[in-house]
Amino acid sequence: MDAPDLREQVDALRALLHHHAHRYYVLDAPEIPDAEYDRLFRELQALEAAHPALVTADSPTQRVGGAVLDGFAKVRHRVPMLSIRTETDIEASGARNFDARVRRELGLAEAEPPLAYVAELKFDGLAINLRYENGVLVQAATRGDGEIGEDVTQNMRTIGQIPLRLGAGAPPVLEVRGEVYMRRDDFERLNEQQREKIARGAKNEKTFVNPRNAAAGAVRQLDPAIARQRPLSFFAYGWGEVTPAAEGGPDWASHHDALRQLGDWGFPVSARTRVCHGPQDLVAFHQAVGAERDALPFDIDGVVYKVDSLALQRRLGFVSREPRWAVAHKFPAQEQMTTVQAIEVQVGRTGKLTPVVKLAPVFVGGVTVTNATLHNEDEARRKDVRVGDTVIVRRAGDVIPEVVAVVPDRRSHDAPPFTMPHRCPVCGSEAVREEGEADYRCTGGLFCGAQRKQALLHFAQRRALDIEGLGEKLVDQLVDGQVVRTLPDLYRIGLNGLLALDRMADKSAQNVLAALEHSKATTLPRFLFGLGIRHVGEATAKDLARHFGRLDGIMDASVEQLLEVPDVGPVVAESIHTFFQQAHNREVVEQLRACGIHWPEGEPAQQAPRPLAGKTVVLTGTLPTLSREAAKEMLEAAGAKVAGSVSKKTDYVIAGEEAGSKLEKAQALGVTVLDEAGMKELLDGGA
């Protein structure tokens, strides 16, 4: 093959690989399998290896990185990378303040139309400037101090979302600015890999505090081969130096038009970017993004508002090296630093011991946080949190606050490491960690005060015995005052015992006694669930009741007999068997029966047909003759799992009158929809 034909073949391969990389990394819409991309890539590699003179800087093969660097060269930005003013008011007034300031500086009267703004996400990553000359990436630099950054070109080449060559129409010079970040799922996978390396004894390895730190560390990695192993992503949101329109550059009128053009040239631009008109639109954008912040696949710490008109941006100009035409409207920080005042161990209803860090109060994620969980002994050891430490605490949305990392430089030299106690801190019983388990558990059972309170609350909840009025405050008084020590004591209190409690009026006491009396008539599944047997939830309690029919059969069953119950595995069977082998647990059951608690019992139903075993069913709307609870019980008796939402895994939707969005979703997904008659036919073994 002569040289022109060879070059044409190489160029065609490069163009094809660039196209498929853009479809994969930017559009998330691949057109070919990974294996076919790899085959094309290897073909290009082989041609370039045989003809080194054909290798170019924009070749897909150059993403693999080069030699390890001794350090980063300095880069002076031709257009400074200035910071954006931050609006500290996290409420809606932050957007209104910015709009009022812009209109005032432009001299706009109140009667004039609202201004157009571009509203963007404020990504929590690392700002990067990408320089293209004649459509080819020639340099990438960090922000640095705004004037001078560091040359990280080799590392940026490893990011699939950053184009090495631009699409048609790119100007002679174009600097694109954006954010390098790490997705949350990529961050979790990276940290899991790091933990595996550490567990295998690898030295100089560590887990990362958050996605931003992980991304920043990858960008500034001196070995591009290592940088390539770190999963980084990129969003474009602005530009630096650009060839003027008079010299063949773009003639943009608005910020939004420029972003659209960057997308056409191959850069990923966030789909959540919006054009807003006036402050009300900005407020709505801020609130909408705030509501979905925790569900985003990447971290953000606010939104950014920019005047859309580039002509108005030029009129507004800059002040103190900040643009007057843009502002960052922050959200409450999800990470803050504070100090550890103590580490306490809490005991849960099932006896689980959980180390909890007591913190100096800190405002994080929109609330004041004073406690953070360490989950278990392994987590406590891995993070090595000690009393007196300065720690980074994270809280996102409704997630329980957690200690992300310790700041080791601030640790006192004599701070002792934390160790899990081998005695229950509440009752003094032995605490054991079963093989294969991560948690220590108190062996005190119903004798442990902490478990006693939680056991009472669990027993009284609506889905168990449903004792109305028996809430946390009343249970605290009953247990702390030693009025109630075991579950049967609830039914022995009497009116005088309740009236002796603080702030317990006669009417309230009568209501509690009435609720206790009403709870005596229950069902076997509710009673089983109310006992708080480990691993026995509502569904398992129903399965046990259906299979054995009578409580005595369950109490006397062997592990092998329990394993015959549908969906009961070895762990659950062992837990049930162990519970009923404890003499004090059997004594509690007999005393509860003696107090008058009763339920209908029947014959074992081991051979009952289960036509819906393994099927998932969703109920929606009002059925003609059956209540929702009755329909649910019938379906569960037939082996079905009754779910609350429709998904691709749903087998049937039973729809009655006024069925809403669940029916619509089922129809959209092609899920079989039945009415009440169809459900009954299904239960009888029909199709």
Side-chain angles (χ1 to χ4, degrees):
M1 184 181 298
D2 57 29
D5 290 340
L6 185 60
R7 182 173 294 280
E8 185 176 331
Q9 181 184 356
V10 169
D11 288 344
L13 268 175
R14 285 177 187 153
L16 191 59
L17 286 166
H18 282 313
H19 167 78
H20 288 302
H22 181 70
R23 298 284 305 180
Y24 183 90
Y25 290 109
V26 179
L27 302 183
D28 196 23
E31 293 178 335
I32 60 174
D34 290 351
E36 176 62 12
Y37 182 91
D38 293 342
R39 186 190 68 78
L40 294 170
F41 189 88
R42 287 194 299 271
E43 184 179 344
L44 177 61
Q45 275 185 316
L47 286 171
E48 290 182 343
H51 306 278
L54 295 179
V55 178
T56 60
D58 65 321
S59 174
T61 62
Q62 300 309 296
R63 287 196 187 278
V64 298
V68 178
L69 303 176
D70 293 328
F72 294 109
K74 301 300 182 184
V75 174
R76 179 172 291 278
H77 298 299
R78 292 164 176 83
V79 176
M81 295 184 72
L82 304 181
S83 58
I84 296 177
R85 175 175 176 174
T86 298
E87 178 58 63
T88 56
D89 188 336
I90 62 174
E91 302 301 328
S93 56
R96 297 194 183 97
N97 291 343
F98 173 62
D99 176 72
R101 189 163 60 246
V102 168
R103 293 181 68 88
R104 184 171 61 251
E105 290 174 351
L106 289 173
L108 299 180
E110 290 186 11
E112 295 189 60
L115 286 171
Y117 298 98
V118 169
E120 306 169 342
L121 304 186
K122 186 177 183 300
F123 307 106
D124 196 8
L126 197 70
I128 292 291
N129 184 77
L130 306 173
R131 183 175 177 84
Y132 292 81
E133 294 178 359
N134 299 315
V136 177
L137 177 65
V138 297
Q139 189 180 72
T142 62
R143 178 200 297 274
D145 63 3
E147 295 281 351
I148 297 175
E150 293 179 314
D151 189 330
V152 291
T153 308
Q154 290 199 58
N155 290 344
M156 292 303 95
R157 288 181 182 278
T158 69
I159 301 176
Q161 288 180 313
I162 293 178
L164 300 179
R165 174 178 285 279
L166 304 185
V173 172
L174 172 68
E175 290 186 347
V176 175
R177 289 174 177 176
E179 201 88 356
V180 171
Y181 66 96
M182 189 174 289
R183 289 173 54 96
R184 290 171 179 167
D185 52 358
D186 287 334
F187 172 72
E188 292 300 330
R189 280 192 291 270
L190 175 62
N191 259 354
E192 183 59 35
Q193 293 168 4
Q194 293 299 105
R195 282 191 282 270
E196 290 175 0
K197 291 178 182 178
I198 294 169
R200 293 195 299 266
K203 296 182 178 180
N204 301 321
E205 295 289 352
K206 64 176 183 178
T207 56
F208 297 95
V209 174
N210 54 40
R212 185 189 187 284
N213 286 7
V219 168
R220 301 194 73 258
Q221 174 58 242
L222 291 172
D223 185 350
I226 296 177
R228 182 175 173 80
Q229 298 169 12
R230 307 281 168 84
L232 298 177
S233 298
F234 177 79
F235 273 127
Y237 55 66
W239 58 93
E241 184 182 12
V242 183
T243 300
E247 300 174 19
D251 187 15
W252 295 323
S254 71
H255 198 94
H256 188 251
D257 287 344
L259 292 180
R260 186 163 49 236
Q261 179 69 76
L262 292 181
D264 292 342
W265 283 332
F267 295 97
V269 177
S270 173
R272 289 175 172 79
T273 299
R274 294 284 183 272
V275 175
C276 298
H277 296 275
Q280 292 307 320
D281 276 7
L282 295 180
V283 169
F285 180 81
H286 183 264
Q287 292 174 342
V289 172
E292 68 169 339
R293 178 187 186 187
D294 298 328
L296 292 173
F298 43 77
D299 284 351
I300 63 172
D301 55 7
V303 297
V304 176
Y305 311 135
K306 300 174 181 176
V307 173
D308 192 30
S309 166
L310 297 187
L312 292 182
Q313 285 190 13
R314 288 190 288 270
R315 277 182 56 188
L316 288 162
F318 298 82
V319 59
S320 299
R321 300 179 59 78
E322 295 177 344
R324 286 192 176 95
W325 43 265
V327 72
H329 193 176
K330 302 272 286 217
F331 290 130
Q334 293 181 304
E335 291 185 355
Q336 291 285 7
M337 285 203 306
T338 186
T339 55
V340 177
Q341 296 180 328
I343 302 177
E344 299 179 357
V345 176
Q346 295 181 350
V347 184
R349 176 183 64 82
T350 62
K352 174 185 173 182
L353 273 60
T354 302
V356 175
V357 178
K358 299 295 180 178
L359 304 166
V362 60
F363 190 76
V364 54
V367 300
T368 299
V369 170
T370 57
N371 297 329
T373 180
L374 286 175
H375 300 291
N376 52 51
E377 182 184 38
D378 291 343
E379 185 78 352
R381 283 182 176 176
R382 183 175 70 82
K383 293 183 175 176
D384 189 24
V385 180
R386 307 184 186 188
V387 176
D389 277 351
T390 297
V391 294
I392 299 171
V393 180
R394 179 177 176 84
R395 180 185 181 274
D398 296 327
V399 177
I400 298 171
E402 65 169 339
V403 173
V404 178
V406 173
V407 181
D409 294 344
R410 301 192 183 186
R411 170 175 288 169
S412 171
H413 69 279
D414 57 352
F418 169 78
T419 57
M420 284 291 289
H422 292 276
R423 290 282 172 183
C424 172
V426 175
C427 70
S429 299
E430 184 181 4
V432 298
R433 179 177 176 177
E434 298 174 4
E435 185 176 352
E437 291 282 335
D439 303 314
Y440 274 87
R441 295 184 183 276
C442 168
T443 59
L446 295 176
F447 300 101
C448 178
Q451 293 179 74
R452 190 179 303 143
K453 288 181 181 180
Q454 293 303 312
L456 289 168
L457 289 168
H458 179 77
F459 186 77
Q461 68 169 285
R462 182 180 58 81
R463 295 176 296 164
L465 275 288
D466 194 17
I467 307 173
E468 190 174 348
L470 193 64
E472 189 171 342
K473 291 183 179 179
L474 179 54
V475 166
D476 283 344
Q477 286 195 73
L478 293 172
V479 173
D480 294 343
Q482 300 188 8
V483 178
V484 170
R485 294 176 181 272
T486 64
L487 296 178
D489 289 343
L490 283 172
Y491 296 92
R492 302 174 183 140
I493 300 173
L495 182 61
N496 290 335
L498 288 172
L499 290 175
L501 301 174
D502 290 342
R503 287 180 268 185
M504 177 63 74
D506 183 77
K507 179 64 174 175
S508 297
Q510 293 286 0
N511 288 341
V512 172
L513 291 176
L516 285 164
E517 189 64 29
H518 183 266
S519 72
K520 291 179 180 179
T522 187
T523 66
L524 181 52
R526 282 178 173 269
F527 183 77
L528 281 171
F529 176 63
L531 290 177
I533 305 170
R534 192 172 173 220
H535 303 306
V536 175
E538 292 177 88
T540 301
K542 289 176 180 178
D543 287 339
L544 289 166
R546 278 193 293 266
H547 186 86
F548 289 98
R550 300 176 182 275
L551 178 62
D552 289 341
I554 301 171
M555 292 174 65
D556 296 334
S558 65
V559 171
E560 291 73 21
Q561 290 171 319
L562 289 166
L563 284 171
E564 295 175 6
V565 180
D567 298 326
V568 170
V571 173
V572 179
E574 188 65 43
S575 177
I576 297 167
H577 183 260
T578 299
F579 180 89
F580 285 118
Q581 287 302 299
Q582 303 299 314
H584 65 268
N585 289 333
R586 297 179 76 97
E587 177 65 21
V588 166
V589 171
E590 293 309 317
Q591 287 187 30
L592 288 170
R593 280 171 155 173
C595 289
I597 296 179
H598 60 281
W599 52 83
E601 292 197 323
E603 294 302 316
Q606 292 147 291
Q607 306 305 317
R610 294 167 61 84
L612 297 184
K615 302 294 185 182
T616 299
V617 182
V618 172
L619 290 163
T620 182
T622 304
L623 299 178
T625 66
L626 293 172
S627 68
R628 180 71 63 89
E629 190 63 31
K632 181 180 179 182
E633 289 183 3
M634 292 171 66
L635 290 165
E636 288 179 337
K641 174 188 175 183
V642 179
S645 59
V646 178
S647 70
K648 292 180 180 179
K649 296 182 180 180
T650 304
D651 295 290
Y652 300 99
V653 168
I654 313 302
E657 292 184 8
E658 299 182 2
S661 59
K662 293 179 183 178
L663 175 58
E664 294 173 1
K665 186 170 183 180
Q667 292 169 335
L669 293 174
V671 176
T672 302
V673 178
L674 302 173
D675 57 11
E676 182 181 307
M679 183 192 82
K680 290 179 177 178
E681 182 181 346
L682 192 67
L683 292 172
D684 291 337

